[in-house]
Amino acid sequence: MKIGVPAETRAGERLVAASPASVAQLIKLGYEVVIEAGAGTSASFLDAQYEEAGATLVDAATAWGADIVTCVNAPKPAQIKLLREGATLVATMAPHSNERLVASLAKRGVTALALDAVPRISRAQAIDVLSTMSNVAGYRAVIEAAENYGGMFTGQVTAAGKTKPATVFIIGAGVAGLAAIGAASSLGAQVRAFDVRPEVAEQIESMGGTFVDAPEAQQEISADGYAKPLTAEQQAAAMAVYAKEAANADVVITTALVRGTAPTTITADVVAGMRPGSVIVDLAASGGGNCALTVPGKTVLSDNGVTIVGYTDLTSRMPRHTSTLFGTNIVHLMALLTPGKDGAMVLDLEDQVQRGMTVAHAGEVMWPPPPVSVSAAPAPVAAQGPTEEELAEKARLEQEVALATARRRNWLYGAGAVAALLLLALSDQDTVKHLTVFALAVIVGFYVISNVKHSLHTPLMAQTNAISGIILVGALLQIGSEDAIVSTLSFIAAAVASINIFGGFLVTYRMLGMFRKDA
């Protein structure tokens, strides 16, 4: 089958649905890839790079006439007419608010897969274009904020004085919010973030932010992955949090966008309470904006000097990386739709991921899809505890094993003591002295080493190396003895002491290397 990648025609759009790298991966799946000439130029992908990856350059009509067409934005009516009956379209379509488009595609007999309708479950994360776009937008929001803010994000201490770090307040800790938290933190700002879902506190802190805890303004997560609607009391408490934090912030980034709708989180009064020179970056401008003063697509200045950035093309302002990630999402989707890796797409409507993003098929409108729960895992069954009789029997068996072990240990100790007494009784006076010294050395050494803290074991090696050196010298003096037993013991002592010395010096060398700062 043939995959077509046409150029985007929306005004100002710089993205493309495939990068040269993703084209090569699609070809490995068995597909033939055709791409409209010049489609990737705005994303810094040259036609020659696509040809090198194995794609064929074609005109717009040929790209739209392929078996499978993938693009970033929804097609216009003129482009829908170029789609052949039975073709598959893979694009973002906003099916929840674009019923006319879905109906047109169904009437055309096109199988339409909406990339922005991927179910929010773990298995579908690799093809979740919304997460890809949100991640880029969150990062770019910080760049736009830094551009419009009249100071540095990080604090500075110089001979001329010091500057305080910027305070950044982020509303929402979804993919975009977390990306913004990470970017702002890496620039040295003091980042505070709030989300109505309390379970994201750990994620916020892991990205370098401080979670604004306001239990009276928070709600639990719902079955579709979004936060449940707030009650009137919770909404009022949340608005109070927004007002307080925004008044103390230099930069505010809003990210609340649910199914294309942007709730108001920053009112005109909140903007009026912010400091002159502050910046608001509204990531929900495409849905009307979280800020009451946002003008989608533009940057405006409030009466009190607050800059409000309402760009709707943040992802297009980073076209190279966004297109690369978008193309990777397409590759993961086509890998799911091509189980045989033979270039033949197979749509399985029994698969909840494929069904969830299928909005038109075989002349029928398939939107909305059946609901999908966040987790299909069954609830864990509580393990039944043991009965009192079983616990008593277990305790009895454990006691018997302990008694048997103690008896066996006592017998071994007794046998060892008898053997030691016999050895002493049958040995001459010099041997008895040596054995006594050996026994005392073992006892003293055991208690000395066992009572040393683990953190001191490495420094202790310097002392043990010295002792091992003495042992090595003594062993070398005795290794030539005429007595075979003395000579054998001397050889063993020399070998063990040498291993201990070299090993000790190696560990000490590595430890010292940890504190050495290379020039």
Side-chain angles (χ1 to χ4, degrees):
M1 298 180 73
K2 184 181 296 184
I3 297 179
V5 184
E8 300 299 320
T9 58
R10 191 176 73 176
E13 184 62 86
R14 300 171 62 191
L15 302 180
V16 63
S19 66
S22 67
V23 165
Q25 291 175 297
L26 291 173
I27 293 174
K28 287 183 179 180
L29 290 174
Y31 292 101
E32 178 186 353
V33 180
V34 297
I35 185 166
E36 183 179 346
T41 303
S42 296
S44 301
F45 298 133
L46 303 180
D47 289 344
Q49 293 178 286
Y50 285 109
E51 289 183 309
E52 185 179 349
T56 303
L57 299 179
V58 297
D59 57 15
T62 304
W64 282 102
D67 302 309
I68 303 169
V69 179
T70 176
C71 51
V72 177
N73 300 297
K76 297 178 180 179
Q79 295 165 335
I80 294 177
K81 293 180 180 179
L82 297 175
L83 293 169
R84 65 177 184 79
E85 185 177 352
T88 298
L89 175 65
V90 181
T92 56
M93 304 178 192
H96 48 76
S97 59
N98 209 343
E99 297 178 1
R100 182 177 298 180
L101 169 66
V102 175
S104 298
L105 293 171
K107 184 178 180 180
R108 186 72 178 173
V110 172
T111 296
L113 303 180
L115 291 170
D116 47 349
V118 175
R120 305 199 66 176
I121 57 178
S122 298
R123 190 165 64 87
Q125 288 181 351
I127 58 177
D128 189 356
V129 168
L130 288 181
S131 293
T132 294
M133 296 296 199
S134 296
N135 181 52
V136 176
Y139 177 88
R140 183 68 191 193
V142 176
I143 303 301
E144 296 295 339
E147 170 69 19
N148 287 275
Y149 178 55
M152 295 180 292
F153 270 34
T154 186
Q156 292 276 332
V157 179
T158 68
K162 65 179 182 179
T163 60
K164 295 194 304 181
T167 300
V168 178
F169 175 53
I170 298 174
I171 300 176
V175 176
L178 291 175
I181 293 169
S185 297
S186 66
L187 288 177
Q190 292 182 345
V191 184
R192 296 173 62 81
F194 174 81
D195 195 290
V196 295
R197 300 166 298 154
E199 64 270 14
V200 301
E202 185 176 349
Q203 299 176 35
I204 290 173
E205 293 172 355
S206 69
M207 298 300 294
T210 299
F211 178 61
V212 178
D213 191 14
E216 68 281 1
Q218 291 167 331
Q219 180 58 280
E220 60 183 10
I221 196 170
S222 63
D224 59 358
Y226 294 97
K228 290 183 178 179
L230 299 178
T231 64
E233 293 78 10
Q234 291 170 332
Q235 181 65 28
M239 296 300 290
V241 171
Y242 302 149
K244 178 182 177 182
E245 293 292 332
N248 297 322
D250 299 301
V251 173
V252 176
I253 299 176
T254 65
T255 68
L257 186 65
V258 181
R259 302 181 185 90
T261 302
T264 299
T265 57
I266 302 296
T267 63
D269 290 338
V270 173
V271 176
M274 296 177 64
R275 293 191 293 261
S278 300
V279 178
I280 298 175
V281 180
D282 195 338
L283 286 179
S286 60
N290 294 139
C291 178
L293 302 183
T294 294
V295 177
K298 296 183 179 181
T299 295
V300 297
L301 189 67
S302 69
D303 294 338
N304 61 321
V306 177
T307 302
I308 304 165
V309 181
Y311 295 147
T312 57
D313 61 345
L314 291 176
T315 54
S316 292
R317 291 171 181 257
M318 307 192 76
R320 184 178 185 87
H321 283 168
T322 305
S323 297
T324 299
L325 295 173
F326 190 99
T328 303
N329 289 141
I330 299 297
V331 170
H332 289 313
L333 173 61
M334 296 313 301
L336 176 65
L337 298 174
T338 318
K341 296 184 179 181
D342 52 0
M345 192 192 87
V346 179
L347 182 64
D348 181 10
L349 295 179
E350 297 298 322
D351 183 341
Q352 61 182 359
V353 174
Q354 299 179 45
R355 175 62 187 89
M357 60 189 304
T358 303
V359 298
H361 179 63
E364 296 183 7
V365 174
M366 306 287 285
W367 182 266
V372 178
S373 60
V374 173
S375 175
V381 179
Q384 185 177 0
T387 62
E388 293 184 1
E389 291 78 7
E390 292 174 338
L391 290 174
E393 179 65 16
K394 181 180 179 181
R396 186 185 64 80
L397 293 175
E398 291 177 349
Q399 186 177 10
E400 290 182 357
V401 171
L403 290 175
T405 301
R407 285 195 295 267
R408 186 165 51 252
R409 184 172 58 248
N410 292 335
W411 276 107
L412 290 175
Y413 287 161
V418 171
L421 291 174
L422 290 175
L423 180 61
L424 291 174
L426 299 176
S427 300
D428 55 31
Q429 189 174 2
D430 290 337
T431 302
V432 172
K433 291 180 180 180
H434 290 316
L435 290 175
T436 303
V437 171
F438 176 76
L440 292 175
V442 170
I443 295 172
V444 172
F446 173 78
Y447 282 103
V448 168
I449 300 301
S450 62
N451 288 319
V452 174
K453 293 183 178 180
H454 295 292
S455 59
L456 298 178
H457 277 178
T458 302
L460 188 65
M461 285 184 180
Q463 299 177 21
T464 57
N465 282 346
I467 297 174
S468 297
I470 296 173
I471 295 174
L472 181 59
V473 172
L476 292 176
L477 292 175
Q478 297 294 328
I479 204 168
S481 175
E482 296 179 357
D483 190 331
I485 296 177
V486 173
S487 181
T488 301
L489 290 176
S490 299
F491 175 78
I492 295 173
V496 173
S498 299
I499 294 173
N500 191 39
I501 290 173
F502 289 115
F505 277 115
L506 178 62
V507 173
T508 303
Y509 174 78
R510 289 187 176 183
M511 182 192 71
L512 293 176
M514 297 171 62
F515 298 95
R516 185 175 62 239
K517 186 177 294 185
D518 295 330

